[in-house]
Amino acid sequence: MTIELKPKDYKSDIKPVWCPGCGHFSILSALTKALAYLKIPKHQIGFVSGIGCSSRIPAYVDSYGFHGVHGRGLAVAAGLKAVRPDLHVIVAGGDGDGFSIGGNHFIHACRRNMDMLYIVMDNQVYGMTKGQASPTTAPDWVNKLTPHGSGVRPFEPLAIALASGSSFIARGFSGDPSAMSKILVEALQHPGFSFVQVLSPCKTFRPEQVEWKKQVHNTFIEPTNDSVLAAQRIHSDDGMGLGIVFQCKIPVWSQHSSIQVDTQNSFEAKIETITSEFEL
Amino acid sequence: MSISSFSVAVTGAGGSGAVTTGLILLETMAQQGFYGFMIRSSGPQIRGGESAVMMRFDTNEMLSTNNQFDYLLALDWFNIERFIDEIPLGANSLIIYDLSAGEVPEILSQSKAQFVGFDLKKLAKSIEGGRSNMVGLGLLVNTFSLSNKSINKAVNKILRHKGEKIVTSSIACIKTGMEEQSKNNTWSVHNMTPIFEKDPGDALKTESTRWSITGNEACGLGALKAGVRFVAAYPITPATEILEWLAPRLENLGGGLLQAEDELASINMIIGASFGGVPSLTATSGPGLSLMMEGIGLAIASEIPIVVVNVTRGGPSTGIPTKSEQSDLNISLYGCHGDAPHLVLAPLNISDAVFTTYWASCLAEQLQTVAIVLSDQFIGQSRAIINKPSFHEVNCQRTTLSKETFSNEQEDYQRYEILDNGVSPMSIPGTKGCMYTADGLEHNSKGTPSSMSVDHIAQLEKRQNKLIQFDYGAQWAEISGHGDVVLITWGSSSAMVNEAAQQLQKQAYAIKTVAIRLLMPLPIELLSEALKDAKKVIVIEQNQGRQLFHYLHAQNSLPLNAHAFARSGPLPLRPHEIVKFVQEVL
């Protein structure tokens, strides 16, 4: 008999370090809801992250987890998925982790199109180091490190994901966990690399983000599989449009002959054949 | 004069075929029953440009350089000055050169070496599709009285993929060269022909198998034997051949190789794969190792077994990508921030690269830690004819929990539990009832992040103690000879130190050599035992900073009057340098 798991069963007993009112709480809830809906066995989940407030999330989910170093979650996940295609691999992190220190891994993870879900919990600020500009912060936002604003145009995550070859691109909002959960269900079922940016207000360092709930809009009703149209949609949007922008079917990464390590078999004979190559 | 060993160098411009000439000569000598090895040296060019191969042949297994070269076959004089430091010549050296390549450069004509010139180009032209490097090879092999059978077999093996025409014309060129050498009376054959102390063909009569293998291939083979099935890596000279060799063979074994976007990714990819339960490895060189330090620390803290093979090149920074040095010991020992105990091992020569990489991979798996294997360009890119490497089997199994071995309730599972041997129970994703989150943050025994001193101290001690408590056995070093003069060395210098020791022993010096294979954790008591009766201790290595010498002092493992013989690369160490230093010290 299989016991049906409820969303709360996917939560661990560790209390999050997040501030009261942090948008990340509802991302955790939306994700556990999606996992319960899809009935994914907990021990078949590999939940990977880097460093930052949001990257603490694997410890709060009752599954296998890997809380690695800053910016490298996607790389750990790629290695895990390469050898364990049977696992549901999820990666989560923040805007600094994913777009700044991990920017190169983001681009190449999109290109590689491995079957995994990548959630970026975007609050346009470095929270863990107490409030500095991130790649998605507006150029005129003032803080101690950038007293005149960064003066740098914000990173456009959806446009970069599209240009880099991600096969599923969506944006959610922590203030609408129900819609977000539906996006995550689609993303988890999508065969290939699914990128979901979630706008997640930081009450502590960006209190003005409380206004986001008035600014978001459900623009992307139906995903397109046309990358030109998707680019148009992304570029004509103000960055607050929600929904699945783009989804296409392209070959999912596999190691040509997919890596399937069979630990049961003895490889002695094959090793002997390889060894004999060296004989004169 | 009867000899057991001689050295040959071949130099030439890009396209002159110096490397092919070397490969065919090495293979011919192997077919004839010799042992030997061939070092490659090239400039920084991508394709074309000058290159040189340096070989030593012997009637016994031989992996050390010689003091000077007996033969230099100069296919032309192109950029010869760039190589001449690497090819020491003396009064007994013979330089065979192409008369059509112009005058002998001053840098060579000043040497005491003897010269003999042939019109290689003209001789080659007499054969359809003929090439002067093959004529030159014919001149050489005739001196060594090699059989036609050996030559034909070698040419076929090396050039078969280029087609029948090339094989035929090459063999014809070699014959022409041999005939030319026979009839040339300016070449005082009897002075230059090696007469061996024993029949090189003895190896053919007694051998079960001899191998032709490069150090990079040997590393790859050792990893496969240990069960490594996943590799993620970023190409880098001089480590790339490990990856090229492994890629198809991993697939054949059900594993695979993933080319990463950079070394930051490749180290994290193998951590992810190993977390997933598959023994994993990456190979790199200095610049890549620098980038990997972050990931190495993560694997140490989260106790995920991984292997990092570092094929050392000249440093720092981009340094000398194509040439050898032993200057990455410090970064391998100390490169991580925090207290980060791990394993550092170094193969002693090409043959030993099989066992050392195997052993390192097994130790990483057993001890759930990082093993750095310190090879170098001298070992990695050289090809050797050796006896089938000896092999000491060890336990390669990671202790993992499975549904069968773990029957307790989920609440009881502690991934980072402190046990007597320091090795905590590791579960693999997909196993029910023992889920955990691996973490680079300090954590308690359950894996929950913790900044409490009690957890930090307990976990730090566990990670240190599991390495110190482990019984590594006699494999930690190769100790040979007896005497109160002890030469301590590591890695690729070991072959030259052993050769020097043999020469000194012949001069009635009582010399012992200690070549350390396991550098971290250093088996301090075993080293003290080896140094018990020492009156003089000399630490020999190929770097400027005396890296091993300082490390041994820091471990309180050296007498205060110990001497250091340390010099930088990229010139390979030569036995006579070591002999001279030891004689001066004594």
Side-chain angles (χ1 to χ4, degrees):
Chain A
M1 191 187 78
T2 45
I3 306 156
E4 198 147 302
L5 295 172
K6 297 193 169 59
K8 69 172 172 50
D9 297 323
Y10 284 89
K11 287 188 183 170
S12 78
D13 52 7
I14 300 173
K15 189 174 168 282
V17 293
W18 302 324
C19 311
C22 177
H24 298 351
F25 284 105
S26 65
I27 300 176
L28 176 60
S29 294
L31 179 63
T32 54
K33 200 173 154 189
L35 294 170
Y37 176 81
L38 292 169
K39 299 185 170 62
I40 296 174
K42 296 197 280 186
H43 62 278
Q44 288 292 340
I45 299 168
F47 198 173
V48 185
S49 70
I51 292 295
C53 301
S54 50
S55 288
R56 292 290 189 118
I57 196 169
Y60 310 144
V61 173
D62 193 29
S63 68
Y64 280 93
F66 203 114
H67 184 209
V69 289
H70 200 23
R72 319 279 173 240
L74 284 168
V76 170
L80 179 59
K81 187 69 187 180
V83 300
R84 293 296 303 275
D86 58 311
L87 297 177
H88 298 268
V89 175
I90 304 169
V91 188
D95 34 308
D97 185 83
F99 305 144
S100 195
I101 193 167
N104 195 33
H105 307 309
F106 174 54
I107 291 169
H108 291 279
C110 291
R111 281 183 62 216
R112 206 173 281 124
N113 199 36
M114 277 183 164
D115 185 14
M116 60 174 70
L117 164 62
Y118 181 38
I119 306 169
V120 173
M121 299 147 83
D122 191 347
N123 54 15
Q124 303 179 356
V125 73
Y126 283 88
M128 196 142 255
T129 50
K130 313 244 185 292
Q132 295 80 30
S134 89
T136 48
T137 305
D140 57 350
W141 187 72
V142 168
N143 72 92
K144 285 182 190 166
L145 284 192
T146 51
H148 312 292
S150 71
V152 181
R153 296 192 335 168
F155 195 92
E156 293 188 47
L158 304 193
I160 289 165
L162 182 71
S164 308
S166 178
S167 55
F168 182 104
I169 300 168
R171 187 186 287 129
F173 175 49
S174 68
D176 188 354
S178 163
M180 192 207 321
S181 198
K182 283 179 189 145
I183 291 173
L184 293 178
V185 166
E186 293 300 318
L188 282 163
Q189 288 180 301
H190 172 75
F193 187 77
S194 315
F195 170 59
V196 183
Q197 178 197 24
V198 181
L199 302 173
S200 179
C202 174
K203 247 194 146 177
T204 304
F205 298 105
R206 302 296 306 265
E208 71 279 13
Q209 288 172 349
V210 73
E211 297 300 313
W212 277 2
K213 61 175 177 286
K214 294 178 197 156
Q215 293 161 2
V216 295
H217 42 87
N218 293 317
T219 302
F220 311 124
I221 309 299
E222 277 294 313
T224 174
N225 62 6
D226 178 346
S227 58
V228 176
L229 185 59
Q232 256 173 7
R233 282 176 163 198
I234 292 166
H235 285 298
S236 56
D237 182 61
D238 61 355
M240 303 305 278
L242 306 178
I244 303 167
V245 186
F246 177 72
Q247 183 173 14
C248 70
K249 272 190 184 164
I250 51 170
V252 178
W253 184 92
S254 66
Q255 186 72 23
H256 307 294
S257 64
S258 178
I259 297 173
Q260 281 176 340
V261 177
D262 185 354
T263 47
Q264 304 300 312
N265 280 345
S266 160
F267 290 94
E268 294 294 323
K270 278 183 176 173
I271 293 272
E272 277 311 305
T273 311
I274 289 171
T275 300
S276 67
E277 291 171 26
F278 297 115
E279 289 167 13
L280 285 173
Chain B
M1 191 185 70
S2 166
I3 60 163
S4 65
S5 182
F6 66 102
S7 293
V8 180
V10 183
T11 59
S16 67
V19 176
T20 308
T21 309
L23 284 170
I24 295 174
L25 180 57
L26 186 73
E27 183 64 30
T28 308
M29 299 300 273
Q31 296 296 341
Q32 199 75 26
F34 282 91
Y35 295 86
F37 74 105
M38 180 179 102
I39 312 170
R40 283 179 188 218
S41 182
S42 55
Q45 73 285 340
I46 308 301
R47 209 179 173 93
E50 68 286 0
S51 56
V53 289
M54 294 144 210
M55 291 162 277
R56 185 177 186 188
F57 301 107
D58 200 290
T59 49
N60 297 305
E61 190 174 89
M62 168 55 66
L63 295 165
S64 160
T65 59
N66 206 349
N67 293 331
Q68 65 182 37
F69 283 81
D70 302 286
Y71 299 91
L72 165 61
L73 171 62
L75 298 171
D76 52 56
W77 302 120
F78 187 74
N79 279 341
I80 187 87
E81 68 281 358
R82 289 202 193 164
F83 292 117
I84 210 64
D85 282 353
E86 296 172 51
I87 308 170
L89 299 163
N92 292 323
S93 309
L94 180 70
I95 300 172
I96 304 162
Y97 67 101
D98 188 353
L99 287 169
S100 67
E103 272 185 41
V104 176
E106 212 178 298
I107 194 166
L108 279 175
S109 60
Q110 286 169 347
S111 80
K112 291 176 192 146
Q114 304 173 46
F115 290 84
V116 54
F118 292 87
D119 199 333
L120 299 182
K121 277 217 174 62
K122 195 174 151 199
L123 288 165
K125 268 189 190 153
S126 67
I127 291 148
E128 198 191 327
R131 288 173 59 93
S132 44
N133 64 329
M134 291 296 115
V135 178
L137 182 62
L139 294 163
L140 265 179
V141 295
N142 203 45
T143 320
F144 314 146
S145 331
L146 304 179
S147 77
N148 283 333
K149 194 181 146 205
S150 301
I151 295 163
N152 292 350
K153 215 171 158 186
V155 172
N156 260 293
K157 186 169 167 184
I158 305 296
L159 295 178
R160 192 172 37 210
H161 70 281
K162 293 197 173 177
E164 193 52 42
K165 267 189 182 166
I166 302 243
V167 171
T168 312
S169 69
S170 296
I171 290 172
C173 282
I174 292 169
K175 285 229 169 81
T176 302
M178 291 167 80
E179 285 158 17
E180 195 66 19
Q181 197 271 345
S182 296
K183 67 188 179 200
N184 185 292
N185 53 17
T186 61
W187 188 339
S188 44
V189 174
H190 55 283
N191 275 345
M192 288 297 176
T193 304
I195 300 160
F196 298 103
E197 284 166 2
K198 72 175 216 187
D199 182 358
D202 282 354
L204 294 174
K205 290 167 205 153
T206 57
E207 73 181 355
S208 53
T209 38
R210 277 177 308 145
W211 282 14
S212 169
I213 191 168
T214 69
N216 279 342
E217 291 168 347
C219 276
L221 178 63
L224 291 184
K225 273 177 175 276
V228 168
R229 294 294 180 268
F230 180 72
V231 171
Y234 190 77
I236 187 167
T237 305
T240 310
E241 296 90 354
I242 298 182
L243 311 172
E244 290 173 340
W245 186 83
L246 277 171
R249 288 159 186 88
L250 279 165
E251 273 190 38
N252 183 23
L253 291 169
L257 182 141
L258 204 168
Q259 184 178 327
E261 55 268 30
D262 54 32
E263 286 92 346
L264 301 164
S266 53
I267 188 85
N268 281 281
M269 284 174 177
I270 65 167
I271 292 169
S274 181
F275 169 73
V278 176
S280 300
L281 170 146
T282 189
T284 189
S285 189
L289 187 64
S290 292
L291 289 180
M292 287 181 186
M293 278 302 149
E294 170 194 82
I296 289 173
L298 172 64
I300 292 167
S302 58
E303 302 192 67
I304 306 292
I306 54 164
V307 184
V308 179
V309 178
N310 181 66
V311 188
T312 315
R313 60 198 226 183
S317 189
T318 312
I320 309 178
T322 53
K323 294 182 183 181
S324 202
E325 199 164 71
Q326 288 185 287
S327 47
D328 287 350
L329 178 60
N330 280 349
I331 185 180
S332 299
L333 296 170
Y334 306 122
C336 287
H337 60 271
D339 291 313
H342 59 284
L343 301 162
V344 180
L345 296 95
L348 308 175
N349 54 51
I350 296 165
S351 173
D352 185 53
V354 181
F355 171 72
T356 297
T357 313
Y358 162 83
W359 192 35
S361 309
C362 295
L363 289 173
E365 286 294 311
Q366 275 187 77
L367 294 167
Q368 296 177 21
T369 193
V370 177
I372 298 177
V373 178
L374 271 178
S375 177
D376 58 28
Q377 189 269 341
F378 180 84
I379 287 176
Q381 292 193 319
S382 297
R383 176 168 290 284
I385 308 301
I386 53 172
N387 288 318
K388 184 177 177 175
S390 61
F391 204 74
H392 179 81
E393 298 264 352
V394 299
N395 177 16
C396 274
Q397 289 297 311
R398 187 187 299 189
T399 314
T400 54
L401 287 178
S402 64
K403 271 179 284 188
E404 292 74 34
T405 58
F406 185 75
S407 55
N408 294 332
E409 289 302 305
Q410 182 176 341
E411 281 73 26
D412 290 335
Y413 175 57
Q414 295 183 42
R415 165 65 183 98
Y416 298 106
E417 188 179 359
I418 292 162
L419 300 175
D420 286 345
N421 67 358
V423 181
S424 302
M426 184 173 186
S427 70
I428 299 303
T431 314
K432 273 186 188 168
C434 32
M435 292 179 290
Y436 74 104
T437 295
D439 211 320
L441 273 175
E442 191 56 281
H443 40 261
N444 62 19
S445 57
K446 277 199 78 173
T448 309
S450 166
S451 55
M452 287 164 64
S453 65
V454 60
D455 291 324
H456 186 48
I457 292 164
Q459 292 293 324
L460 276 177
E461 282 182 353
K462 182 191 74 171
R463 295 192 291 258
Q464 174 73 271
N465 289 343
K466 70 177 177 183
L467 302 188
I468 292 173
Q469 285 170 17
F470 189 81
D471 180 7
Y472 298 93
Q475 314 300 322
W476 75 279
E478 292 297 320
I479 300 174
S480 55
H482 299 279
D484 52 13
V485 178
V486 182
L487 311 182
I488 301 177
T489 190
W490 69 282
S492 65
S493 292
S494 307
M496 275 62 83
V497 169
N498 282 332
E499 171 96 356
Q502 280 167 23
Q503 291 174 15
L504 287 159
Q505 281 151 359
K506 278 182 194 155
Q507 299 167 27
Y509 288 96
I511 305 268
K512 181 196 256 188
T513 58
V514 179
I516 304 175
R517 188 183 277 120
L518 177 66
L519 293 152
M520 184 185 253
L522 188 71
I524 294 170
E525 285 172 17
L526 296 173
L527 180 56
S528 306
E529 178 64 27
L531 299 182
K532 201 174 51 180
D533 303 318
K535 293 209 174 77
K536 285 276 178 202
V537 176
I538 302 165
V539 181
I540 300 162
E541 56 194 314
Q542 194 196 17
N543 58 64
Q544 188 208 37
R546 303 175 166 195
Q547 298 187 7
L548 179 66
F549 179 76
H550 289 307
Y551 174 59
L552 296 178
H553 262 312
Q555 302 279 318
N556 222 3
S557 293
L558 284 184
L560 286 174
N561 64 355
H563 296 266
F565 176 80
R567 75 143 170 84
S568 71
L571 293 184
L573 284 184
R574 305 244 168 235
H576 72 97
E577 298 175 73
I578 300 165
V579 168
K580 187 165 164 255
F581 185 84
V582 174
Q583 285 169 335
E584 280 167 9
V585 163
L586 296 179

